[in-house]
Short mmCIF file of all heavy atoms in Angstrom, two decimals:
data_model
loop_
_atom_site.label_atom_id
_atom_site.label_comp_id
_atom_site.label_asym_id
_atom_site.label_seq_id
_atom_site.Cartn_x
_atom_site.Cartn_y
_atom_site.Cartn_z
N LEU A 145 -10.72 -10.86 -1.56
CA LEU A 145 -11.29 -11.62 -0.46
C LEU A 145 -12.25 -12.64 -1.07
O LEU A 145 -13.11 -12.27 -1.87
CB LEU A 145 -12.02 -10.69 0.51
CG LEU A 145 -12.15 -11.13 1.96
CD1 LEU A 145 -10.79 -11.42 2.56
CD2 LEU A 145 -12.90 -10.09 2.76
N GLY A 146 -12.04 -13.90 -0.72
CA GLY A 146 -12.90 -14.94 -1.27
C GLY A 146 -12.81 -15.05 -2.78
O GLY A 146 -13.77 -15.43 -3.43
N GLY A 147 -11.65 -14.69 -3.32
CA GLY A 147 -11.48 -14.78 -4.76
C GLY A 147 -12.00 -13.61 -5.55
O GLY A 147 -11.86 -13.56 -6.78
N ASN A 148 -12.62 -12.66 -4.86
CA ASN A 148 -13.19 -11.49 -5.53
C ASN A 148 -12.28 -10.29 -5.31
O ASN A 148 -11.97 -9.93 -4.18
CB ASN A 148 -14.58 -11.19 -4.99
CG ASN A 148 -15.54 -12.33 -5.27
OD1 ASN A 148 -15.62 -12.82 -6.39
ND2 ASN A 148 -16.28 -12.74 -4.25
N GLU A 149 -11.89 -9.66 -6.40
CA GLU A 149 -11.03 -8.49 -6.32
C GLU A 149 -11.89 -7.22 -6.31
O GLU A 149 -12.85 -7.10 -7.07
CB GLU A 149 -10.06 -8.42 -7.49
CG GLU A 149 -9.10 -7.22 -7.42
CD GLU A 149 -8.21 -7.08 -8.64
OE1 GLU A 149 -8.51 -7.72 -9.67
OE2 GLU A 149 -7.22 -6.35 -8.57
N ARG A 150 -11.51 -6.31 -5.45
CA ARG A 150 -12.18 -5.03 -5.38
C ARG A 150 -11.14 -3.93 -5.47
O ARG A 150 -10.10 -3.99 -4.81
CB ARG A 150 -12.95 -4.90 -4.07
CG ARG A 150 -13.62 -3.56 -3.85
CD ARG A 150 -14.41 -3.56 -2.55
NE ARG A 150 -15.00 -2.25 -2.28
CZ ARG A 150 -14.41 -1.31 -1.54
NH1 ARG A 150 -13.23 -1.55 -1.00
NH2 ARG A 150 -15.00 -0.15 -1.33
N LYS A 151 -11.43 -2.94 -6.29
CA LYS A 151 -10.51 -1.80 -6.42
C LYS A 151 -11.18 -0.56 -5.87
O LYS A 151 -12.39 -0.36 -6.06
CB LYS A 151 -10.12 -1.60 -7.89
CG LYS A 151 -9.37 -2.77 -8.48
CD LYS A 151 -9.00 -2.52 -9.93
CE LYS A 151 -8.28 -3.73 -10.52
NZ LYS A 151 -7.87 -3.51 -11.92
N SER A 152 -10.40 0.26 -5.21
CA SER A 152 -10.94 1.49 -4.66
C SER A 152 -9.93 2.62 -4.86
O SER A 152 -8.73 2.38 -4.94
CB SER A 152 -11.25 1.33 -3.17
OG SER A 152 -10.11 0.94 -2.44
N TYR A 153 -10.47 3.84 -4.93
CA TYR A 153 -9.64 5.01 -5.22
C TYR A 153 -10.06 6.18 -4.36
O TYR A 153 -11.24 6.35 -4.04
CB TYR A 153 -9.79 5.40 -6.70
CG TYR A 153 -9.38 4.30 -7.67
CD1 TYR A 153 -10.32 3.40 -8.15
CD2 TYR A 153 -8.06 4.17 -8.07
CE1 TYR A 153 -9.95 2.39 -9.01
CE2 TYR A 153 -7.68 3.16 -8.93
CZ TYR A 153 -8.63 2.28 -9.41
OH TYR A 153 -8.25 1.27 -10.27
N ALA A 154 -9.08 6.99 -4.03
CA ALA A 154 -9.39 8.23 -3.33
C ALA A 154 -10.06 9.19 -4.31
O ALA A 154 -9.79 9.16 -5.52
CB ALA A 154 -8.10 8.85 -2.80
N ASP A 155 -10.93 10.05 -3.79
CA ASP A 155 -11.69 10.95 -4.65
C ASP A 155 -10.83 11.78 -5.61
O ASP A 155 -11.20 11.95 -6.78
CB ASP A 155 -12.56 11.87 -3.80
CG ASP A 155 -13.77 11.15 -3.22
OD1 ASP A 155 -14.11 10.05 -3.72
OD2 ASP A 155 -14.37 11.67 -2.26
N PRO A 156 -9.70 12.32 -5.16
CA PRO A 156 -8.92 13.17 -6.07
C PRO A 156 -8.39 12.46 -7.32
O PRO A 156 -8.00 13.12 -8.29
CB PRO A 156 -7.77 13.68 -5.21
CG PRO A 156 -8.26 13.56 -3.81
CD PRO A 156 -9.12 12.33 -3.81
N VAL A 157 -8.34 11.13 -7.29
CA VAL A 157 -7.74 10.40 -8.42
C VAL A 157 -8.74 9.54 -9.18
O VAL A 157 -8.38 8.93 -10.20
CB VAL A 157 -6.54 9.53 -7.96
CG1 VAL A 157 -5.55 10.38 -7.15
CG2 VAL A 157 -6.99 8.32 -7.17
N LYS A 158 -9.97 9.50 -8.69
CA LYS A 158 -10.98 8.67 -9.37
C LYS A 158 -11.15 9.09 -10.82
O LYS A 158 -11.24 10.27 -11.12
CB LYS A 158 -12.31 8.79 -8.62
CG LYS A 158 -12.43 7.90 -7.41
CD LYS A 158 -13.80 8.04 -6.75
CE LYS A 158 -13.89 7.17 -5.51
NZ LYS A 158 -15.18 7.37 -4.80
N GLY A 159 -11.19 8.08 -11.69
CA GLY A 159 -11.36 8.37 -13.11
C GLY A 159 -10.06 8.68 -13.83
O GLY A 159 -10.05 8.75 -15.06
N ARG A 160 -8.98 8.88 -13.07
CA ARG A 160 -7.69 9.20 -13.70
C ARG A 160 -6.63 8.13 -13.43
O ARG A 160 -5.76 7.90 -14.27
CB ARG A 160 -7.17 10.54 -13.19
CG ARG A 160 -8.08 11.72 -13.48
CD ARG A 160 -7.41 13.04 -13.11
NE ARG A 160 -7.11 13.12 -11.69
CZ ARG A 160 -5.88 13.30 -11.19
NH1 ARG A 160 -4.84 13.39 -12.02
NH2 ARG A 160 -5.68 13.39 -9.89
N PHE A 161 -6.68 7.51 -12.26
CA PHE A 161 -5.69 6.50 -11.88
C PHE A 161 -6.33 5.12 -11.94
O PHE A 161 -7.51 4.94 -11.63
CB PHE A 161 -5.20 6.74 -10.45
CG PHE A 161 -4.32 7.94 -10.27
CD1 PHE A 161 -4.20 8.93 -11.24
CD2 PHE A 161 -3.59 8.10 -9.09
CE1 PHE A 161 -3.38 10.03 -11.06
CE2 PHE A 161 -2.77 9.20 -8.89
CZ PHE A 161 -2.67 10.16 -9.88
N THR A 162 -5.50 4.13 -12.30
CA THR A 162 -5.95 2.74 -12.33
C THR A 162 -4.89 1.85 -11.71
O THR A 162 -3.72 1.90 -12.13
CB THR A 162 -6.22 2.28 -13.77
OG1 THR A 162 -7.20 3.14 -14.38
CG2 THR A 162 -6.74 0.84 -13.77
N ILE A 163 -5.30 1.05 -10.75
CA ILE A 163 -4.39 0.09 -10.15
C ILE A 163 -4.62 -1.27 -10.79
O ILE A 163 -5.77 -1.65 -11.08
CB ILE A 163 -4.59 0.02 -8.61
CG1 ILE A 163 -3.51 -0.87 -7.98
CG2 ILE A 163 -5.98 -0.45 -8.24
CD1 ILE A 163 -3.49 -0.80 -6.44
N SER A 164 -3.53 -2.00 -11.01
CA SER A 164 -3.65 -3.34 -11.56
C SER A 164 -2.51 -4.19 -11.02
O SER A 164 -1.53 -3.66 -10.50
CB SER A 164 -3.61 -3.31 -13.09
OG SER A 164 -2.39 -2.79 -13.56
N ARG A 165 -2.68 -5.47 -11.11
CA ARG A 165 -1.67 -6.37 -10.56
C ARG A 165 -1.42 -7.52 -11.54
O ARG A 165 -2.32 -7.96 -12.24
CB ARG A 165 -2.11 -6.91 -9.20
CG ARG A 165 -3.43 -7.63 -9.21
CD ARG A 165 -4.02 -7.78 -7.81
NE ARG A 165 -3.31 -8.75 -7.01
CZ ARG A 165 -3.58 -9.00 -5.73
NH1 ARG A 165 -4.54 -8.33 -5.14
NH2 ARG A 165 -2.89 -9.90 -5.06
N ASP A 166 -0.18 -7.96 -11.57
CA ASP A 166 0.23 -9.10 -12.36
C ASP A 166 0.82 -10.11 -11.39
O ASP A 166 1.98 -10.00 -10.99
CB ASP A 166 1.25 -8.68 -13.43
CG ASP A 166 1.65 -9.81 -14.36
OD1 ASP A 166 1.49 -10.99 -13.96
OD2 ASP A 166 2.12 -9.53 -15.45
N ASN A 167 0.02 -11.09 -11.01
CA ASN A 167 0.47 -12.05 -10.00
C ASN A 167 1.65 -12.87 -10.51
O ASN A 167 2.52 -13.26 -9.72
CB ASN A 167 -0.67 -12.97 -9.60
CG ASN A 167 -1.73 -12.25 -8.78
OD1 ASN A 167 -1.48 -11.17 -8.22
ND2 ASN A 167 -2.91 -12.83 -8.71
N ALA A 168 1.69 -13.15 -11.79
CA ALA A 168 2.79 -13.96 -12.33
C ALA A 168 4.13 -13.24 -12.23
O ALA A 168 5.17 -13.88 -12.09
CB ALA A 168 2.50 -14.32 -13.79
N GLU A 169 4.08 -11.90 -12.27
CA GLU A 169 5.30 -11.09 -12.19
C GLU A 169 5.50 -10.48 -10.81
O GLU A 169 6.44 -9.72 -10.61
CB GLU A 169 5.26 -9.98 -13.26
CG GLU A 169 5.22 -10.49 -14.68
CD GLU A 169 6.49 -11.22 -15.08
OE1 GLU A 169 7.57 -10.88 -14.55
OE2 GLU A 169 6.40 -12.14 -15.91
N ASN A 170 4.60 -10.79 -9.88
CA ASN A 170 4.67 -10.22 -8.53
C ASN A 170 4.75 -8.69 -8.57
O ASN A 170 5.51 -8.07 -7.81
CB ASN A 170 5.88 -10.78 -7.76
CG ASN A 170 5.75 -12.27 -7.52
OD1 ASN A 170 4.65 -12.80 -7.41
ND2 ASN A 170 6.88 -12.95 -7.46
N THR A 171 3.96 -8.12 -9.45
CA THR A 171 4.06 -6.69 -9.71
C THR A 171 2.68 -6.04 -9.62
O THR A 171 1.69 -6.59 -10.08
CB THR A 171 4.66 -6.43 -11.10
OG1 THR A 171 5.95 -7.04 -11.18
CG2 THR A 171 4.80 -4.93 -11.36
N VAL A 172 2.66 -4.85 -9.04
CA VAL A 172 1.44 -4.04 -9.01
C VAL A 172 1.77 -2.72 -9.71
O VAL A 172 2.88 -2.19 -9.59
CB VAL A 172 0.94 -3.80 -7.58
CG1 VAL A 172 1.98 -3.13 -6.71
CG2 VAL A 172 -0.36 -3.02 -7.57
N TYR A 173 0.81 -2.23 -10.47
CA TYR A 173 1.01 -1.02 -11.26
C TYR A 173 0.04 0.07 -10.82
O TYR A 173 -1.03 -0.20 -10.28
CB TYR A 173 0.77 -1.31 -12.74
CG TYR A 173 1.65 -2.38 -13.32
CD1 TYR A 173 1.19 -3.70 -13.45
CD2 TYR A 173 2.94 -2.08 -13.76
CE1 TYR A 173 2.00 -4.69 -13.98
CE2 TYR A 173 3.75 -3.07 -14.31
CZ TYR A 173 3.28 -4.37 -14.41
OH TYR A 173 4.09 -5.34 -14.95
N LEU A 174 0.43 1.29 -11.12
CA LEU A 174 -0.47 2.42 -10.98
C LEU A 174 -0.36 3.25 -12.25
O LEU A 174 0.65 3.91 -12.49
CB LEU A 174 -0.14 3.27 -9.76
CG LEU A 174 -1.13 4.41 -9.49
CD1 LEU A 174 -2.50 3.85 -9.09
CD2 LEU A 174 -0.62 5.36 -8.40
N GLN A 175 -1.40 3.18 -13.07
CA GLN A 175 -1.46 4.00 -14.27
C GLN A 175 -2.08 5.34 -13.89
O GLN A 175 -3.20 5.38 -13.36
CB GLN A 175 -2.30 3.32 -15.34
CG GLN A 175 -2.47 4.14 -16.61
CD GLN A 175 -1.18 4.34 -17.38
OE1 GLN A 175 -0.38 3.40 -17.50
NE2 GLN A 175 -0.95 5.54 -17.88
N MET A 176 -1.37 6.41 -14.15
CA MET A 176 -1.82 7.75 -13.76
C MET A 176 -1.97 8.59 -15.02
O MET A 176 -0.99 8.84 -15.73
CB MET A 176 -0.81 8.39 -12.82
CG MET A 176 -0.49 7.54 -11.59
SD MET A 176 0.58 8.39 -10.41
CE MET A 176 2.09 8.51 -11.37
N ASN A 177 -3.18 9.01 -15.29
CA ASN A 177 -3.48 9.82 -16.48
C ASN A 177 -3.92 11.21 -16.07
O ASN A 177 -4.35 11.44 -14.94
CB ASN A 177 -4.56 9.15 -17.31
CG ASN A 177 -4.16 7.79 -17.84
OD1 ASN A 177 -2.98 7.54 -18.10
ND2 ASN A 177 -5.12 6.90 -17.99
N ARG A 178 -3.83 12.12 -17.02
CA ARG A 178 -4.26 13.52 -16.79
C ARG A 178 -3.71 14.06 -15.49
O ARG A 178 -4.44 14.58 -14.64
CB ARG A 178 -5.78 13.61 -16.84
CG ARG A 178 -6.34 13.36 -18.24
CD ARG A 178 -7.85 13.49 -18.28
NE ARG A 178 -8.50 12.30 -17.77
CZ ARG A 178 -9.41 12.29 -16.81
NH1 ARG A 178 -9.79 13.39 -16.24
NH2 ARG A 178 -9.96 11.15 -16.43
N LEU A 179 -2.41 13.91 -15.33
CA LEU A 179 -1.76 14.37 -14.11
C LEU A 179 -1.84 15.88 -13.98
O LEU A 179 -1.81 16.61 -14.98
CB LEU A 179 -0.31 13.90 -14.09
CG LEU A 179 -0.13 12.39 -13.81
CD1 LEU A 179 1.24 11.93 -14.26
CD2 LEU A 179 -0.35 12.11 -12.34
N ASN A 180 -1.93 16.34 -12.75
CA ASN A 180 -1.93 17.77 -12.48
C ASN A 180 -0.97 18.06 -11.33
O ASN A 180 -0.53 17.12 -10.64
CB ASN A 180 -3.34 18.26 -12.18
CG ASN A 180 -3.95 17.61 -10.96
OD1 ASN A 180 -3.47 17.80 -9.84
ND2 ASN A 180 -5.00 16.83 -11.15
N PRO A 181 -0.62 19.31 -11.11
CA PRO A 181 0.38 19.64 -10.07
C PRO A 181 0.02 19.12 -8.69
O PRO A 181 0.92 18.83 -7.88
CB PRO A 181 0.43 21.17 -10.11
CG PRO A 181 0.12 21.51 -11.53
CD PRO A 181 -0.92 20.50 -11.93
N ASP A 182 -1.28 18.96 -8.39
CA ASP A 182 -1.67 18.43 -7.08
C ASP A 182 -1.30 16.97 -6.90
O ASP A 182 -1.37 16.44 -5.79
CB ASP A 182 -3.18 18.60 -6.87
CG ASP A 182 -3.59 20.05 -6.68
OD1 ASP A 182 -2.72 20.87 -6.30
OD2 ASP A 182 -4.76 20.37 -6.93
N ASP A 183 -0.94 16.30 -7.98
CA ASP A 183 -0.52 14.91 -7.88
C ASP A 183 0.96 14.78 -7.51
O ASP A 183 1.45 13.67 -7.30
CB ASP A 183 -0.76 14.19 -9.21
CG ASP A 183 -2.22 14.11 -9.58
OD1 ASP A 183 -3.05 13.82 -8.68
OD2 ASP A 183 -2.55 14.34 -10.77
N THR A 184 1.65 15.89 -7.44
CA THR A 184 3.06 15.86 -7.07
C THR A 184 3.22 15.31 -5.65
O THR A 184 2.62 15.82 -4.71
CB THR A 184 3.67 17.27 -7.15
OG1 THR A 184 3.66 17.70 -8.51
CG2 THR A 184 5.11 17.28 -6.63
N ALA A 185 4.01 14.24 -5.53
CA ALA A 185 4.18 13.58 -4.24
C ALA A 185 5.19 12.45 -4.39
O ALA A 185 5.57 12.10 -5.52
CB ALA A 185 2.85 13.02 -3.74
N VAL A 186 5.57 11.89 -3.27
CA VAL A 186 6.29 10.62 -3.28
C VAL A 186 5.23 9.52 -3.19
O VAL A 186 4.36 9.56 -2.32
CB VAL A 186 7.28 10.51 -2.11
CG1 VAL A 186 7.98 9.15 -2.15
CG2 VAL A 186 8.31 11.64 -2.17
N TYR A 187 5.32 8.58 -4.10
CA TYR A 187 4.36 7.49 -4.16
C TYR A 187 4.99 6.21 -3.61
O TYR A 187 6.11 5.84 -4.00
CB TYR A 187 3.90 7.28 -5.60
CG TYR A 187 2.93 8.33 -6.07
CD1 TYR A 187 3.37 9.63 -6.33
CD2 TYR A 187 1.58 8.06 -6.20
CE1 TYR A 187 2.48 10.62 -6.72
CE2 TYR A 187 0.68 9.04 -6.61
CZ TYR A 187 1.14 10.31 -6.87
OH TYR A 187 0.25 11.29 -7.25
N PHE A 188 4.25 5.57 -2.72
CA PHE A 188 4.73 4.37 -2.04
C PHE A 188 3.81 3.19 -2.37
O PHE A 188 2.59 3.30 -2.27
CB PHE A 188 4.73 4.56 -0.53
CG PHE A 188 5.60 5.67 -0.03
CD1 PHE A 188 5.11 6.97 0.06
CD2 PHE A 188 6.90 5.42 0.36
CE1 PHE A 188 5.91 8.00 0.53
CE2 PHE A 188 7.71 6.44 0.83
CZ PHE A 188 7.22 7.73 0.91
#
Side-chain angles (χ1 to χ4, degrees):
L145 206 56
N148 298 312
E149 182 185 15
R150 176 177 176 267
K151 297 181 182 181
S152 58
Y153 300 92
D155 286 343
V157 309
K158 278 182 182 176
R160 299 187 298 121
F161 288 14
T162 302
I163 187 170
S164 61
R165 57 197 288 176
D166 184 338
N167 289 342
E169 298 294 330
N170 296 330
T171 302
V172 58
Y173 301 98
L174 185 67
Q175 177 67 41
M176 306 186 294
N177 298 329
R178 291 182 280 126
L179 287 161
N180 62 65
D182 289 339
D183 296 317
T184 295
V186 178
Y187 284 73
F188 300 88

